[in-house]
Amino acid sequence: MSALKNDLLLRTLRGEEVERSPVWMMRQAGRYLPEYMVLRRKYGFFERCQTPALACEITVQPVDIVGVDAAILFSDILVVPQAMGLEVQMVESKGPLLPDPIKIDSDLNRIRVPDVNETLGYVFDAIKLIKQELNGRVPLIGFAGAPWTILCYMVQGKGSKTFDEAKAVCYTQPQLAHQLLQMITDTTIAYLKGQVAAGADTIQVFDSWGGLLSPHDFENISLKYIRQIVAALKDDVPVIVFAKGAWHSLKEMADTGAAGLGIDWCIKPELARQFAGDNVTLQGNFDPAKLLSPIPVIQQEVKTMIKAFGTKRYVANLGHGILPNVPVDHARAFVDTVKEFS
Ligand code: CP3
């Protein structure tokens, strides 16, 4: 495996001086690229995830087409509950569906902490193939969902604006909830270690629903488990934690030893830095819907964003995943503007 030709992201995460800020976009693999849509029509969602050649092709597309400084593995956070023994379907235009969610103690008998090589070996195979295909052009980001976000789907059984049923289990059956969170955590640590062994250069933990919890519950239900994951991985690779909406706990997240923190667009960059402190790299926080603006507006707003974060310990990114209806030249304008800024 050759050394990286572009290691801006890794150097920025380690806090080293860089020529310019690196840029990538959350959910850049899939969704908005016509080249992805062709594969989407031909193969089922989990078939795309489970076939290393397809996962590889989709992962590398945004590197070739929009010129991002990092690739992110094409997969999904819900392969973890699948590996634990729950059925997960991806329903066209509806999203995830878990027909037999976890509701009571005895449901835990239906799931287990699996051998990740047996159940998720296809992800490790995809990573090895992607590393070959990238041939050192840019680093590869591996990922997993945070235990709380995974619990949301395992208990609620589908997407939700409030995840009230998932919260209800945490509040009324705390012992069940914490047992489940620990099983997810143990699976996730083994899974991410496997991703790193296969070649992932850095890891992002997605806590998409962290912001649904109060600061106190976020600590008890989410951060406690994220802390275990960061501790288990951080000596091997830099770890990025993205907990959407959990701006109140940026300091506590920095204290986990994470190298980077994802920031959404609902907090001022200056305040995010003040909360997080100087010993962590910040990543974000362009409103994904703003990529629908005319290109000159995107260019202007990207410059404003970089000036607000400063070029030190900063990775340009969106504040959440790219939307499916973003024109490719708008995504490219976002990336190009970051690359030209100095
Ligand atoms: O970042 C990337 O591009 C890599 C691949 C990736 C996917 N999902 C592929 C995907 C990543 C990192 C994810 C993470 C993910 N999956 C999260 C956390 C990040 C976030 O955006 O909050 C969550 C909550 C999920 C669960 C999930 N998967 C949902 C809610 C949906 C349906 C709605 C949607 O996002 O499109 C998915 C399906 C999914 N995962 C798609 C893709 C490209 C779209 C389905 C398709 O193209 O057939």
Side-chain angles (χ1 to χ4, degrees), residues 298-340:
I298 295 173
Q299 292 167 330
Q300 197 49 51
E301 298 255 340
V302 167
K303 288 178 202 159
T304 305
M305 172 179 77
I306 302 176
K307 280 181 201 147
F309 277 102
T311 47
K312 267 201 150 144
R313 292 212 80 154
Y314 172 61
V315 177
N317 203 318
L318 308 176
H320 199 189
I322 190 165
L323 300 168
N325 55 343
V326 168
V328 177
D329 56 336
H330 288 214
R332 209 178 280 123
F334 176 80
V335 170
D336 287 344
T337 308
V338 177
K339 288 182 166 180
E340 284 153 20

Side-chain angles (χ1 to χ4, degrees), residues 27-29 31 36 40 45 48 73 75-77 208 320:
R27 307 296 297 274
Q28 67 189 16
R31 285 195 158 180
Y36 171 72
R40 194 174 185 276
F45 181 72
R48 273 170 270 149
L73 168 71
S75 185
D76 198 82
I77 63 168
S208 307
H320 199 189

Side-chain angles (χ1 to χ4, degrees), residues 31-186:
R31 285 195 158 180
Y32 65 106
L33 289 175
E35 291 81 353
Y36 171 72
M37 290 307 176
V38 174
L39 297 173
R40 194 174 185 276
R41 281 189 288 272
K42 263 172 108 170
Y43 306 96
F45 181 72
F46 288 110
E47 192 181 2
R48 273 170 270 149
C49 294
Q50 288 162 7
T51 311
L54 291 175
C56 175
E57 187 177 345
I58 298 167
T59 299
V60 178
Q61 280 173 349
V63 178
D64 292 334
I65 299 166
V66 282
V68 283
D69 291 310
I72 180 161
L73 168 71
F74 177 79
S75 185
D76 198 82
I77 63 168
L78 298 176
V79 300
V80 165
Q82 232 170 22
M84 293 174 76
L86 271 197
E87 185 187 344
V88 182
Q89 303 168 3
M90 200 56 78
V91 183
E92 179 67 37
S93 71
K94 273 207 168 144
L97 178 70
L98 294 79
D100 306 303
I102 304 291
K103 300 284 182 190
I104 53 173
D105 277 330
S106 61
D107 289 331
L108 289 183
N109 299 331
R110 294 193 279 119
I111 60 168
R112 73 204 76 88
V113 176
D115 177 335
V116 292
N117 290 308
E118 261 168 39
T119 50
L120 293 161
Y122 63 87
V123 176
F124 308 148
D125 291 340
I127 289 175
K128 288 176 199 151
L129 197 60
I130 294 162
K131 287 294 287 182
Q132 273 178 27
E133 186 67 30
L134 286 174
N135 193 26
R137 277 182 287 166
V138 292
L140 175 64
I141 306 167
F143 71 90
W148 154 247
T149 286
I150 297 298
L151 176 145
C152 281
Y153 290 98
M154 290 180 85
V155 171
Q156 192 93 15
K158 54 184 189 304
S160 163
K161 280 202 164 69
T162 58
F163 283 99
D164 53 327
E165 293 171 43
K167 282 183 168 180
V169 163
C170 292
Y171 302 152
T172 62
Q173 303 179 75
Q175 211 194 330
L176 163 63
H178 285 285
Q179 230 177 312
L180 178 56
L181 287 165
Q182 192 60 54
M183 288 177 80
I184 300 167
T185 302
D186 294 344

